[in-house]
């Protein structure tokens, strides 16, 4: 696909992915399919409950994550990738592969200069 620089929409997509916790949350939901809030919280060391809540809300607003609330006590809430979020999986895979190649490239470049 080619496009004109002034007609580039990469930033439109990145707006929904930028943030320290968005990609780790999406990757956890990809791996586990459905996660309760408490399980998701445990899989992300270092995140606060407030930050997890805020980030999940943003991902839900961008239709990347679905939230399902069960009417039970105590409350049970589950999260999963939405159909739109599932469309991101090939992009996340490609970014992961590129990240590996990029790290190797930079290490090789650094090694050549040492």
């Amino acid at each position: 696909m080619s496009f004109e620089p002034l007609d580039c929409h990469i930033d439109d997509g990145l707006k929904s992915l930028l943030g320290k916790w968005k990609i780790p949350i999406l990757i956890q939901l990809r791996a586990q399919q459905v996660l309760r809030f408490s399980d998701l919280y445990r899989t992300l060391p270092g995140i606060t409950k407030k930050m997890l809540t805020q980030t999940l809300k943003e991902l839900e607003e961008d239709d990347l994550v679905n939230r399902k609330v069960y009417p039970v006590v105590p409350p049970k809430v589950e999260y999963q990738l939405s159909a739109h979020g599932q469309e991101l999986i090939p992009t996340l895979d490609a970014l992961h592969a590129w990240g590996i190649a990029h790290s190797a490239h930079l290490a090789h470049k650094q090694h050549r200069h040492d």
Side-chain angles (χ1 to χ4, degrees), residues 37-113:
F37 182 90
S38 58
D39 296 328
L40 192 50
Y41 178 70
R42 279 193 290 276
T43 67
L44 299 166
I47 195 169
T48 63
K49 288 183 180 182
K50 179 180 178 182
M51 180 57 68
L52 179 56
T53 299
Q54 177 183 330
T55 305
L56 285 166
K57 182 178 180 185
E58 291 171 8
L59 290 169
E60 187 179 5
E61 288 171 356
D62 288 337
D63 195 29
L64 298 177
V65 168
N66 289 330
R67 177 179 185 260
K68 184 173 183 180
V69 180
Y70 294 89
V72 295
V73 177
K76 177 181 175 184
V77 181
E78 291 181 340
Y79 295 89
Q80 67 182 57
L81 290 179
S82 66
H84 186 58
Q86 293 279 345
E87 294 172 1
L88 262 176
I89 289 174
T91 303
L92 293 174
D93 289 344
L95 283 170
H96 176 72
W98 186 82
I100 291 169
H102 182 60
S103 294
H105 171 79
L106 293 178
H108 178 71
K109 181 180 173 186
Q110 180 65 33
H111 181 69
R112 281 194 334 234
H113 288 90

